[in-house]
Amino acid sequence: MGTYSIEVRDLVKFHGSTRALDHCSFSVKHGEFFSLVGPSGSGKTSTLRLLAGFEYPDHGEILIEGRSMNRTPPHHRPVNLVFQNYALFPHLTVFKNVSFGLEMRHVAPGEITSRVAAALAMVRLQGKETRVPSQLSGGEQQRVALARALVNRPAVVLLDEPLGALDQQLRQEMQVELKTIQEQAGLTFMCVTHHQEEALTMSDRLAVMNRGRILQIGSPREIYESPISTFVATFIGQSNQMAGRVEAVSAATCRIQVSGLPSILARSTGALTIGDSVTLIVRPERIELSRESLHAGYDNAIPARIEKVIYNGSENQYWFRLTDHIVWKAHELNARPDRKGFVPGESILVRWHAVDGIVLTE
Amino acid sequence: MPPSSPNSTDRRHLFSWPLVPAVLWMGAFFALPLLVVLAISFASRGPYGGVEWTFSLTNYALIADPLYLKIYGRSLWLAAATTAICLLIGYPLAYYIARAPKQWQAIWLLIVIIPFWTNFLVRTYAWMFILRAEGVLNTVLLKTGLIHASIDILYTDMAVLIGLVYGYLPFMVLPLYAAIERLNPSLVEAAWDLYADGWSVLWRVIFPLTKTGVAAGCLLVFIPSVGAYITPDLLGGARTMMAGNLIQHEYLVIRDWPFGSAISFVLMAVVLLGVMLYFKAGGALDVEEERR
């Protein structure tokens, strides 16, 4: 047994004539919480179905626990899937739903009872054994679906949009709980989601997918702080963008020229040469708005005018105009409610550090 | 028309204008004649075939005669066998249709229903041509050397069974199709994912969740099969009489209306009892099917 629960090499899958998966490769380590995140049609669900065994790849290889699974049907794979709409058996009780996999593998009845009890305890559903799914709330059904997979102690628990059907409040609670359960159970989780915040919150590592390709794999911090493409930068988190040209490059920073603005200092990625067309990305929460007219230690300070203000409780969100063509936004934590906020039409100074300016060449 | 809503009270549910045509129709042409038949079943046959209104239970006592019990037995047996065979053939067929691509489903269902466009009597005559001693079936079997002497199928229980299965198969397929089509495909995938092989998926998930369709299909095949008349008459001949033929015989040949009525009522009672037992055994267990 190697260090990987899942190894996917050069996977290709066609749906009709469209290429659902285009030479995808990634590995998931033991005990890792790994997420595939991307918009609908990005190929993440196809990948999950190939791992579960409902479909077979057209090219490439799937290894689970080091064993090739390319043509292994689902019931012979050491993985269990938590379905998007849970797919609980409506005619069976909670207990029978959870014990289904163990019964199919002819586990001794005494062991079934204790393992089901342990799994239900883990998802905090004790006392609901004799209910049927229609008597449970959405959140409870979600837990049963999870317990039904956990109880088998599979090599990998696959989760398809696990929190997609829950309301916002419950969703955020469950993100933390899912991660806790995964750590307690010590199992490998692979989750598919279109919800970028969910992927960042729960995952040890994530892969960002679009149009059948994996664009970037890394920890949440790596993906958020150092996206390698504008797609990743805009899909994961919010971002401001502007197009420019490289004016000067040094080891740590580079200087970007943007028409209508003073030169902008940004983080250098190393592969830049003078004259390159680039996209500059700055996260809204890294931008500071000020009524002062000083640099005050910031590398960039540009005058702007407030266009629009949104107050959402935890944050003040400001849209401001830098040039005729560029409107950016800044998120300011609402930590000092007594402070007077900016108002539309107000002239301000927009400031940020060079390290917060991400430069992308694509 | 009074406004009706799902929140109407039980009392308001009892009367509803849209029900009036159905109630009038069924009352005049079903309930009332049935009561007349019930009344006649307690009367007795006049010397020249008329009905004499003298109350007696003789007609019902007469049914205990082994001759008639045998006909009842054959009816029930043939109907049960027809139902079982229709289920065995119909379930895989319905499953296949329900899981076919949408545009194909309509075509398959059309093929299942097409025989209804031809008169039932004509189709049964066609079976006589196929099954008789020098018929299509025997000719083919003899020519291919599978048999060396023609086999007698026409005018046997086998012929009746073939005819009944042929005639009532669509009644099995349609409700099964409706039930299987409603089944959430991810439930099948979930079972498969949880280590169930094909057989377990069928018995533990698909079959229990389509039980309502099975119950409906079985009732729709069993009930008309028990009372079948044309099929046993044409394919079974005089030797294999079923209850339907017996009733016809008593009414029209023997002209013993009271006895014919009694047979009809006992047949209804037997079917009703069977249906009730079936439902009680959980055949129509209410299953809440979760849709995607």
Side-chain angles (χ1 to χ4, degrees):
Chain A
M1 195 148 70
T3 43
Y4 294 113
S5 295
I6 300 174
E7 285 174 86
V8 165
R9 294 178 192 149
D10 209 24
L11 213 56
V12 175
K13 177 69 187 176
F14 284 93
H15 284 157
S17 59
T18 55
R19 207 186 278 247
L21 283 180
D22 194 358
H23 300 284
C24 290
S25 302
F26 63 89
S27 308
V28 182
K29 292 175 207 148
H30 284 303
E32 191 173 36
F33 198 125
F34 188 87
S35 295
L36 289 179
V37 59
S40 57
S42 60
K44 55 191 197 306
T45 302
S46 294
T47 311
L48 200 73
R49 292 182 63 80
L50 287 169
L51 286 168
F54 299 136
E55 290 168 29
Y56 295 145
D58 293 319
H59 175 82
E61 199 172 15
I62 295 171
L63 299 172
I64 296 172
E65 295 293 320
R67 285 192 296 132
S68 176
M69 291 281 152
N70 275 24
R71 289 286 180 275
T72 308
H75 62 296
H76 289 142
R77 294 192 184 206
V79 299
N80 289 118
L81 175 59
V82 177
F83 286 76
Q84 183 169 9
N85 290 303
Y86 318 136
L88 298 179
F89 303 123
H91 60 305
L92 299 179
T93 60
V94 167
F95 184 94
K96 282 286 178 186
N97 263 282
V98 177
S99 69
F100 193 93
L102 299 176
E103 282 178 34
M104 288 298 120
R105 288 200 295 182
H106 307 291
V107 173
E111 193 187 336
I112 288 179
T113 311
S114 60
R115 280 173 73 173
V116 170
L120 287 175
M122 190 167 263
V123 298
R124 299 192 285 116
L125 270 183
Q126 301 100 315
K128 308 262 183 187
E129 289 84 351
T130 56
R131 304 284 183 88
V132 291
S134 60
Q135 295 172 313
L136 301 177
S137 70
E140 288 171 329
Q141 292 184 20
Q142 212 273 338
R143 290 157 192 273
V144 177
L146 188 60
R148 190 172 69 171
L150 292 175
V151 75
N152 304 301
R153 303 204 59 81
V156 186
V157 177
L158 304 170
L159 303 109
D160 186 6
E161 302 278 1
L163 310 177
L166 303 179
D167 61 54
Q168 182 65 16
Q169 198 84 28
L170 198 54
R171 194 182 177 113
Q172 283 174 345
E173 285 172 31
M174 279 304 289
Q175 285 175 16
V176 179
E177 187 164 343
L178 210 53
K179 178 71 184 148
T180 311
I181 288 170
Q182 183 257 336
E183 281 164 2
Q184 278 177 5
L187 295 173
T188 309
F189 273 36
M190 198 187 110
C191 173
V192 149
T193 178
H194 69 276
H195 207 275
Q196 48 93 14
E197 185 206 320
E198 203 168 284
L200 291 175
T201 307
M202 299 189 297
S203 316
D204 295 313
R205 286 192 309 139
L206 57 145
V208 182
M209 294 189 77
N210 192 33
R211 296 177 177 198
R213 289 170 187 253
I214 293 180
L215 303 179
Q216 190 173 1
I217 302 177
S219 68
R221 185 176 293 275
E222 283 162 3
I223 300 275
Y224 188 79
E225 301 294 341
S226 309
I228 59 164
S229 69
T230 49
F231 180 85
V232 175
T234 49
F235 191 76
I236 303 291
Q238 302 198 44
S239 59
N240 296 301
Q241 293 184 36
M242 62 171 77
R245 197 170 287 279
V246 178
E247 206 175 57
V249 185
S250 72
T253 59
C254 62
R255 186 176 291 277
I256 309 293
Q257 193 221 318
V258 178
S259 76
L261 290 177
S263 293
I264 293 167
L265 271 179
R267 194 196 321 167
S268 174
T269 53
L272 297 172
T273 46
I274 291 168
D276 281 352
S277 287
V278 294
T279 305
L280 174 72
I281 306 261
V282 182
R283 301 288 187 190
E285 75 278 11
R286 304 291 167 82
I287 293 174
E288 201 247 7
L289 305 183
S290 168
R291 293 194 178 95
E292 300 170 22
S293 55
L294 296 167
H295 270 65
Y298 288 95
D299 300 305
N300 300 297
I302 300 173
R305 186 179 294 274
I306 298 284
E307 292 248 308
K308 192 172 160 189
V309 179
I310 283 183
Y311 168 84
N312 77 357
S314 65
E315 279 179 344
N316 292 306
Q317 304 187 342
Y318 297 105
W319 275 256
F320 52 88
R321 184 169 291 280
L322 288 164
T323 71
D324 287 349
H325 308 291
I326 305 171
V327 174
W328 275 20
K329 61 185 166 183
H331 294 173
E332 184 188 73
L333 208 58
N334 190 18
R336 295 181 313 186
D338 52 319
R339 211 194 70 162
K340 182 175 175 289
F342 301 104
V343 293
E346 197 174 346
S347 289
I348 46 141
L349 199 62
V350 178
R351 308 188 289 200
W352 72 91
H353 296 291
V355 289
D356 293 324
I358 303 157
V359 177
L360 299 169
T361 49
E362 62 134 37
Chain B
M1 193 183 281
S4 66
S5 76
N7 297 329
S8 300
T9 60
D10 284 350
R11 215 169 60 84
R12 279 177 64 186
H13 270 296
L14 278 179
F15 182 80
S16 169
W17 282 106
L19 273 181
V20 168
V23 168
L24 285 179
W25 180 270
M26 294 299 276
F29 301 114
F30 177 71
L32 206 62
L34 203 63
L35 285 174
V36 173
V37 173
L38 181 65
I40 294 175
S41 75
F42 292 109
S44 50
R45 181 182 185 269
Y48 305 105
V51 176
E52 282 191 0
W53 294 102
T54 49
F55 180 86
S56 90
L57 291 171
T58 333
N59 295 317
Y60 288 94
L62 213 58
I63 291 166
D65 186 305
L67 177 69
Y68 301 127
L69 286 183
K70 206 178 148 198
I71 293 173
Y72 266 106
R74 179 186 287 124
S75 293
L76 292 174
W77 181 85
L78 280 172
T82 301
T83 309
I85 295 169
C86 281
L87 185 60
L88 281 174
I89 300 173
Y91 200 93
L93 177 62
Y95 191 84
Y96 176 82
I97 296 174
R99 287 287 170 264
K102 268 274 174 277
Q103 65 271 31
W104 278 97
Q105 290 186 12
I107 294 169
W108 282 117
L109 287 176
L110 191 69
I111 291 171
V112 169
I113 298 165
I114 274 177
F116 284 124
W117 296 357
T118 313
N119 183 285
F120 185 64
L121 200 59
V122 172
R123 286 184 285 142
T124 310
Y125 273 120
W127 273 109
M128 292 176 74
F129 278 95
I130 294 170
L131 298 178
R132 66 184 180 172
E134 60 279 18
V136 178
L137 184 67
N138 272 314
T139 310
V140 170
L141 289 178
L142 284 168
K143 281 264 164 61
T144 53
L146 284 170
I147 54 169
H148 298 291
S150 61
I151 43 174
D152 290 326
I153 300 179
L154 194 59
Y155 306 131
T156 63
D157 281 0
M158 180 57 84
V160 178
L161 194 58
I162 290 172
L164 289 175
V165 168
Y166 166 78
Y168 295 122
L169 186 60
F171 293 111
M172 181 63 86
V173 173
L174 294 179
L176 281 176
Y177 161 79
I180 297 167
E181 205 267 331
R182 281 196 326 140
L183 181 73
N184 179 353
S186 62
L187 293 176
V188 175
E189 286 185 344
W192 203 15
D193 179 70
L194 292 164
Y195 318 112
D197 54 23
W199 196 245
S200 300
V201 173
L202 178 65
W203 284 112
R204 302 289 292 262
V205 176
I206 299 171
F207 202 76
L209 288 175
T210 52
K211 260 202 292 203
T212 44
V214 173
C218 287
L219 291 180
L220 286 179
V221 171
F222 184 79
I223 293 171
S225 296
V226 173
Y229 162 64
I230 290 177
T231 310
D233 194 47
L234 294 183
L235 301 181
R239 276 182 293 165
T240 56
M241 213 181 229
M242 283 176 72
N245 309 99
L246 181 62
I247 293 166
Q248 185 262 357
H249 193 74
E250 291 301 329
Y251 268 96
L252 300 181
V253 181
I254 314 281
R255 295 180 61 75
D256 188 346
W257 284 29
F259 185 52
S261 304
I263 303 169
S264 303
F265 258 90
V266 172
L267 185 65
M268 275 179 58
V270 168
V271 170
L272 199 65
L273 195 72
V275 170
M276 277 163 60
L277 283 175
Y278 186 81
F279 273 79
K280 214 175 172 188
L285 185 79
D286 193 20
V287 174
E288 275 183 63
E289 218 278 331
E290 204 180 338
R291 299 202 61 169
R292 271 184 87 112

